[in-house]
Amino acid sequence: MSDPKIVKLVDESSNRSSELPLISGTLGPACIDIGTLYKDTGHFTYDPGYGSTASTKSAITYIDGDQGVLLYRGYPIEQLAEKSSFLEVAYLLLNGELPKPAEFATFEHDITHHTMMHEAQKNFFQGFHHDAHPMAMLAAAVASLSAFYHDDLDVENPADRKMAAIRLIAKMPTIAAACYRYSIGWPMRYPRNNLEYVTRFLHMMFEVPSEPLQMNPVAAKALDLLFILHADHEQNASTSTVRLVGSTGANPYASIAAGITALWGPAHGGANEAVLKQLKEIGTPDNVESAVLRAKDKNDSFRLMGFGHRVYKNFDPRAKIIREMCHKVLAELGVNDPLLEVAMKLEEAALKDDYFVERKLYPNVDFYSGIIYKALGIPTEMFTVMFAIARTAGWIAHWIEQHETPGSRIGRPRQIYTGADVRNYMPGDKR
Ligand code: CMC
C-alpha cells in the first residue's frame, strides 16, 4: 500500500517519476512539496497567479475562503474587531501572543517614542509636485527610511529587526499625514505623544496651528477598527512582494516600500479608492443596473470595484463587519451620504445576479471602507494610504518571520519561455 503522505507524479513520456511528500499545516489543505520535482522529472510547475501554490509556511494568519474565516494568530477577526485595538493586534501579529498589560505598555511606549520623522526627511516632500499622489509620496518616503537607518541595521540581528518593526509601525502615520498635508499646502504636524495611536494620527492629519481640534471619539474608534481589519491577510500580493524583496536580504524599509507599491494597484488595496470613484460615477441608484450590465459584458474591461476575491468564495468576513459598521458610523457622525444608497443598491443587484452568483463574487473589504473614510473626512486619494498604515503591521511581521525561518532562500520563480528559438545576430544591412 502506498504511503498516504506521498503523491506520486509520473511523466509517462520519459518514464521519470517523483515521489512528492504532502505537507500539512495546523489548518487548511495539505500541500504537495514539489521541491524535488525538477531534479526528478526535469519539469517545472506552471501556476500563473499562484492559484494553487503555497509560497511559504507561515504561522501568522489563516484564511478559509470557503467558510469566510480569517484568523490572526488563531484569533477570529470578529473577536479582535470587537474586543481588541489596532496596536494590540500589531503586537499579536509580531509576537504571536496577545500582550500582558505590562508587555503592551512597553510596546505602546516604544511605538509612541519612535513616531517622529527625521527633520531632514521632511525636506524630501518639498521635491514632490504639489498634486503628487499620496501613495507615490508614501512609497518614496518609506524607502528613504533606509537612508536614515541603514548603517545601524543588521537584518540578521533580532533586536535590529524588532527596532525596524517599531520604527515602521510608529512612523507610518506620521509620514502618511505628512503626505496629505503637503498635498494641500498645510504645515506638517509633530506627533503628540499624549494621544494614542489612531487619535494621534487623526490629529496629525487634521489639526491646524491656529485652533484646537475637536475630535469625535467615534472617528478614532472607527478608524482603529478599520486598521484591525486591514492589518494582515496572509500571502496577498503586497505581502508576497515584501517577502520576495526580503528574500534577497534587502532591508525592511526597502521591502515595505515595495509592498506599498504592490498595494497601490486597483486589483489590490487601490480598490478602495477605485470603489469610491466608481460609486460617484454611478451617481444614483437608478444607474446601478447599467453598471451591473457593463461589469458582465466581456467586451468591456469595466469591473465592479470592491467585488470578488481570489480566496473568499462565500463572503469576506471583513466586509461583513465593515458593512455593519458603515451604517453605525454614518449614523453616529450624523452623515447622510447618498453614495451609501448607491452602494447598497449595487450590492443587492449583484448578489442576486447569476453572473456574480456563479462566479462567487461578493463585496470585499474595500467595498464599504471608502464610505467610512469619506465620512471621517479622509480624502479619496488617501484611502489606500490608510490601508498601508494598517498593513505595515502584517508586512513587517511576515518580513520578521521570514528572517526567523531557518533555511529561507531567495525567491526565484521559473518560466515557460515562449520567445524566439536560438538565432544568429545579423548586421543591420542584412536584417
Ligand atoms: N466585476 C466583474 N467581474 C468580475 C469581478 C468584478 N469585480 N471580479 C472577477 N470577475 C469575473 C472575471 O471576469 C472572471 O470571469 P470569467 O470566469 O468569466 O472570465 C471571474 O470573475 C474570475 O475573476 P478573476 O479575475 O479570474 O479572479 P481573480 O481571483 O484573479 O481576481 C480580484 C480577484 C479581486 C482581483 C477580482 O475579483 C477583481 O478585480 N475585483 C475588483 C477589484 C477589487 O475589488 N480588489 C480588491 C480585492 S480585496 C482587497 C485586497 O486584496 O486588497
Side-chain angles (χ1 to χ4, degrees):
M1 214 172 93
S2 64
D3 187 335
K5 297 249 161 40
I6 301 274
V7 168
K8 187 163 181 179
L9 197 140
V10 181
D11 174 3
E12 288 179 350
S13 58
S14 66
N15 221 12
R16 289 170 78 181
S17 67
S18 189
E19 296 206 333
L20 306 168
L22 276 183
I23 304 180
S24 294
T26 329
L27 296 167
C31 292
I32 304 168
D33 178 355
I34 57 165
T36 59
L37 186 70
Y38 179 62
K39 185 167 69 69
D40 294 344
T41 67
H43 297 305
F44 300 137
T45 53
Y46 178 58
D47 183 21
Y50 311 117
S52 297
T53 297
S55 60
T56 185
K57 290 181 187 170
S58 178
I60 300 174
T61 290
Y62 173 73
I63 304 173
D64 181 334
D66 294 323
Q67 300 301 320
V69 170
L70 170 60
L71 311 176
Y72 293 165
R73 299 285 191 182
Y75 294 100
I77 191 66
E78 293 80 4
Q79 290 184 26
L80 294 169
E82 189 192 333
K83 298 178 180 159
S84 189
S85 68
F86 170 69
L87 219 49
E88 189 179 65
V89 163
Y91 182 99
L92 171 69
L93 291 170
L94 284 169
N95 297 287
E97 298 296 336
L98 284 167
K100 295 187 172 74
E103 290 166 333
F104 183 73
T106 305
F107 183 63
E108 190 172 34
H109 176 274
D110 290 348
I111 295 284
T112 304
H113 291 85
H114 284 90
T115 47
M116 278 173 54
M117 263 195 287
H118 194 290
E119 280 299 300
Q121 199 185 8
K122 288 184 175 174
N123 298 331
F124 265 72
F125 289 87
Q126 309 307 321
F128 290 114
H129 199 257
H130 67 90
D131 61 356
H133 195 287
M135 281 297 279
M137 292 192 265
L138 185 75
V142 170
S144 81
L145 288 172
S146 329
F148 291 99
Y149 303 107
H150 195 262
D151 290 345
D152 62 351
L153 189 129
D154 172 6
V155 297
E156 301 308 328
N157 179 338
D160 283 8
R161 292 197 292 257
K162 191 173 164 209
M163 178 49 74
I166 297 281
R167 280 192 179 127
L168 275 157
I169 295 170
K171 292 184 199 307
M172 207 66 167
T174 315
I175 295 172
C179 294
Y180 169 58
R181 296 180 77 101
Y182 177 74
S183 72
I184 55 167
W186 283 6
M188 287 172 198
R189 302 306 290 161
Y190 286 107
R192 289 184 178 207
N193 285 0
N194 61 327
L195 301 174
E196 61 74 44
Y197 191 82
V198 170
T199 314
R200 182 165 57 232
F201 168 63
L202 288 170
H203 268 257
M204 285 188 283
M205 283 284 286
F206 299 121
E207 195 181 34
V208 287
S210 39
E211 56 191 70
L213 178 70
Q214 299 303 326
M215 179 68 62
N216 187 334
V218 171
K221 178 86 193 92
L223 194 55
D224 194 74
L225 180 51
L226 284 172
F227 281 2
I228 292 174
L229 300 179
H230 285 91
D232 194 43
H233 212 231
E234 208 227 53
Q235 308 306 324
N236 56 83
S238 57
T239 303
S240 298
T241 302
V242 170
R243 278 183 176 266
L244 191 60
V245 176
S247 79
T248 69
N251 73 64
Y253 308 111
S255 306
I256 301 287
I260 292 170
T261 58
L263 184 75
W264 193 2
H268 192 8
N272 55 14
E273 181 178 339
V275 168
L276 208 85
K277 287 186 172 155
Q278 193 169 82
L279 291 175
K280 279 184 188 159
E281 274 162 29
I282 296 173
T284 70
D286 294 346
N287 298 330
V288 159
E289 204 182 328
S290 58
V292 171
L293 281 175
R294 264 193 85 187
K296 296 193 299 184
D297 182 355
K298 288 290 159 198
N299 298 316
D300 191 333
S301 60
F302 180 88
R303 284 189 167 198
L304 286 191
M305 300 313 289
F307 273 82
H309 197 276
R310 171 60 63 79
V311 184
Y312 294 121
K313 299 299 173 196
N314 183 336
F315 65 93
D316 179 338
R318 304 166 301 173
K320 227 177 168 180
I321 298 169
I322 292 183
R323 186 184 196 278
E324 222 172 89
M325 171 190 177
C326 187
H327 290 278
K328 222 170 122 205
V329 171
L330 263 59
E332 284 178 4
L333 293 176
V335 173
N336 180 14
D337 190 340
L339 290 188
L340 181 58
E341 218 186 311
V342 180
M344 287 191 318
K345 181 83 192 292
L346 194 58
E347 181 185 12
E348 189 194 326
L351 290 184
K352 62 180 187 213
D353 190 292
D354 283 350
Y355 174 97
F356 289 87
V357 174
E358 278 161 18
R359 288 168 181 75
K360 301 185 174 174
L361 302 170
Y362 298 89
N364 59 47
V365 69
D366 292 320
F367 189 63
Y368 281 105
S369 63
I371 296 177
I372 303 177
Y373 289 137
K374 184 166 173 264
L376 302 183
I378 291 165
T380 317
E381 291 71 31
M382 284 292 289
F383 289 2
T384 314
V385 173
M386 300 294 111
F387 196 152
I389 295 174
R391 187 55 60 84
T392 297
W395 287 331
I396 194 65
H398 281 271
W399 183 87
I400 288 177
E401 182 181 64
Q402 172 180 47
H403 282 80
E404 284 174 349
T405 306
S408 285
R409 300 168 77 195
I410 187 169
R412 194 359 178 140
R414 300 305 302 266
Q415 63 171 7
I416 298 176
Y417 174 68
T418 58
D421 201 347
V422 63
R423 49 186 169 165
N424 291 321
Y425 180 88
M426 301 295 278
D429 61 344
K430 299 260 166 52
R431 289 172 203 164

